Amino acid sequence: MAAPSCGAPGLWVRGSWQRLGNLFTFVSKPLCSAAAASRPLDAQRLAERLRAQKQEQKTKKPVPTNPVQRRVQELLRFTEQLQRVHPNVLAKALSRGLVHQDKDLVVINKPYGLPVHGGPGVRLCISDALPVLAKMLHGHKAEPLHLCHRLDKETTGVMVLAWEKEVAHKVQELFRTRQVTKKYWAITMRVPVPSAGVVDIPIIEKEVQGQERHHKMTLSPSYCMDNGKIVRVRTSRNAHLAVTQYRVLSSTLSSALVELQPVTGIKHQLRVHLSFGLDCPVLGDHKYSDWNRLAPQKLSACILKKMGLPQSKARHIPLHLHACQLTLPALQPGKEELNLVCKPPRYFVHSLRRLGLKMPSRDQNGDEEATHSGAQ
């Protein structure tokens, strides 16, 4: 006669331990699984899993059918991808795009929309990523990298960092004494006339009166026209000497690619000289395209058509100003000068192609020739 139940379903003792053994086997499996799950996850696998989940979420987003919405989404993807990430993610992106590295210096390609230093309302800046970047390049005991100069938040391109504070001070002194040659590329509304020259007009900061009071840099010329005559005027004590060399590399009827070489280093110098000195503001410069107000840049119908945007979406166009080249004198005797060249960001190249402008490339002899930007 069979023995009564012991309270656990399926637990019968009938002169054989087979049924009881099955129960032990059944119970032991989840216990083993729980033990495995309690083990700490490998950090790399966890990071990969999180990245995969984020990528999956991105792919689930519906693609806009409206061409204007697609264009806006494209611009946001190109310009906002690194502005709201963890400093570790930013450091990883910077390490992948290094321009140069040696025992003294590290040169990065600064992304769009990231300030160099922190401040009120700043969620992420280049300085936040420097300790992590140093560890990625030199191991966990590496000291943080030091900034040698700065670029504006919206400006992209060559940026020099130093391993040691003494080297950083030495590079900063080279910048201060104007021994560093800097070259920028800018896409401009309209074409500068003449096609090459020097803008030598002092710059001063002034308050703009209106509904929204704010401060802007503007021109403080030493001369003015009076009854058809050029008359020298008294220069303000607060005005700064500002000199910019420029030349047009490529142009259409409505826009141009301009190479800029600042001789001085005044705040927003290139943007002010282009907008107020040459009447050719930088594409995407929503601050200096109009003196009296802070508003999205007013674009011509021709540029809007080529960019694939209506005027109501012009606010999404980023500043097209790129630090493309920097020549640094030798830091030590017996060494050669350092020529650092940095490719423009994707949105810059796409805009060149849309506007029908050509981007110069350097051949092996260092001579410049114009080639279509699509070939890059």
Side-chain angles (χ1 to χ4, degrees):
M1 187 173 175
S5 171
C6 296
L11 180 59
W12 295 88
V13 181
R14 196 185 283 192
S16 170
W17 294 93
Q18 182 177 3
R19 191 70 173 170
L20 192 60
N22 289 342
L23 178 62
F24 289 156
T25 306
F26 172 76
V27 173
S28 64
K29 286 183 179 179
L31 289 174
C32 293
S33 301
S38 65
R39 279 184 243 149
L41 286 173
D42 180 75
Q44 185 175 357
R45 284 190 301 158
L46 181 60
E48 290 174 355
R49 186 183 302 176
L50 290 173
R51 280 196 294 268
Q53 290 176 354
K54 288 182 180 179
Q55 189 62 33
E56 186 179 352
Q57 291 174 358
K58 288 181 181 179
T59 55
K60 287 181 180 178
K61 291 182 180 180
V63 178
T65 55
N66 187 305
V68 173
Q69 292 178 347
R70 284 203 305 269
R71 180 72 179 122
V72 170
Q73 192 178 81
E74 179 187 62
L75 287 171
L76 294 177
R77 188 175 70 250
F78 286 157
T79 57
E80 293 186 357
Q81 55 188 233
L82 290 176
Q83 294 179 24
R84 298 181 180 180
V85 299
H86 191 275
N88 292 11
V89 178
L90 174 58
K92 185 68 174 178
L94 295 177
S95 68
R96 288 173 178 168
L98 286 186
V99 177
H100 173 81
Q101 181 184 0
D102 58 32
K103 67 181 185 66
D104 294 319
L105 302 173
V106 172
V107 183
I108 61 173
N109 184 355
K110 180 191 169 297
Y112 173 84
L114 287 171
V116 174
H117 300 286
V122 175
R123 298 180 58 180
L124 179 66
C125 63
I126 298 295
S127 298
D128 294 339
L130 296 187
V132 184
L133 179 61
K135 288 177 170 57
M136 287 180 176
L137 299 177
H138 265 196
H140 290 289
K141 294 183 179 181
E143 293 294 324
L145 287 155
H146 301 275
L147 293 164
C148 296
H149 63 115
R150 65 181 299 276
L151 290 175
D152 290 339
K153 175 183 176 181
E154 296 87 0
T155 305
T156 61
V158 180
M159 187 165 189
V160 182
L161 312 170
W163 287 110
E164 302 292 339
K165 189 174 290 186
E166 292 75 14
V167 177
H169 289 328
K170 188 180 295 185
V171 176
Q172 289 166 4
E173 184 64 15
L174 292 174
F175 274 93
R176 191 187 67 80
T177 54
R178 303 174 187 171
Q179 297 183 57
V180 179
T181 303
K182 299 169 285 184
K183 289 185 180 180
Y184 292 74
W185 283 349
I187 298 178
T188 63
M189 293 171 52
R190 298 181 288 275
V191 183
V193 178
S195 59
V198 177
V199 181
D200 184 358
I201 308 176
I203 290 177
I204 190 172
E205 186 171 15
K206 288 185 177 181
E207 183 180 7
V208 180
Q209 303 294 330
Q211 293 181 349
E212 297 179 70
R213 288 195 173 187
H214 57 281
H215 287 80
K216 285 184 182 179
M217 307 301 288
T218 189
L219 301 177
S220 179
S222 303
Y223 298 88
C224 70
M225 296 296 294
D226 185 12
N227 294 326
K229 296 181 180 180
I230 300 177
V231 180
R232 185 175 179 86
V233 296
R234 186 175 180 179
T235 305
S236 170
R237 293 181 179 179
N238 297 322
H240 303 277
L241 177 69
V243 182
T244 303
Q245 296 179 356
Y246 75 91
R247 64 177 178 133
V248 176
L249 301 177
S250 177
S251 65
T252 63
L253 292 176
S254 58
S255 59
L257 173 63
V258 182
E259 181 185 84
L260 303 156
Q261 187 171 332
V263 179
T264 55
I266 306 304
K267 177 183 176 183
H268 298 169
Q269 172 181 321
L270 301 180
R271 297 161 66 180
V272 172
H273 274 172
L274 280 172
S275 185
F276 302 146
L278 295 170
D279 194 28
C280 296
V282 181
L283 180 65
D285 193 345
H286 306 293
K287 182 170 185 175
Y288 288 105
S289 293
D290 190 307
W291 166 254
N292 294 312
R293 61 195 183 112
L294 287 172
Q297 188 176 47
K298 183 78 173 174
L299 299 173
S300 67
C302 181
I303 290 181
L304 287 171
K305 183 178 180 180
K306 290 181 179 180
M307 294 294 288
L309 292 170
Q311 178 59 43
S312 61
K313 302 296 182 183
R315 66 183 183 276
H316 296 293
I317 299 178
L319 184 74
H320 287 65
L321 181 61
H322 175 69
C324 62
Q325 185 176 350
L326 190 149
T327 304
L328 202 63
L331 296 178
Q332 297 177 4
K335 286 195 173 185
E336 296 182 352
E337 65 178 19
L338 203 57
N339 187 36
L340 306 162
V341 179
C342 190
K343 294 181 180 179
R346 290 176 64 187
Y347 74 82
F348 195 105
V349 177
H350 282 215
S351 295
L352 285 173
R353 187 183 301 121
R354 281 179 168 271
L355 295 170
L357 298 169
K358 298 177 182 180
M359 186 166 67
S361 65
R362 292 182 177 276
D363 59 19
Q364 294 180 349
N365 296 325
D367 298 327
E368 289 186 353
E369 57 181 3
T371 60
H372 284 289
S373 60
Q376 297 301 313

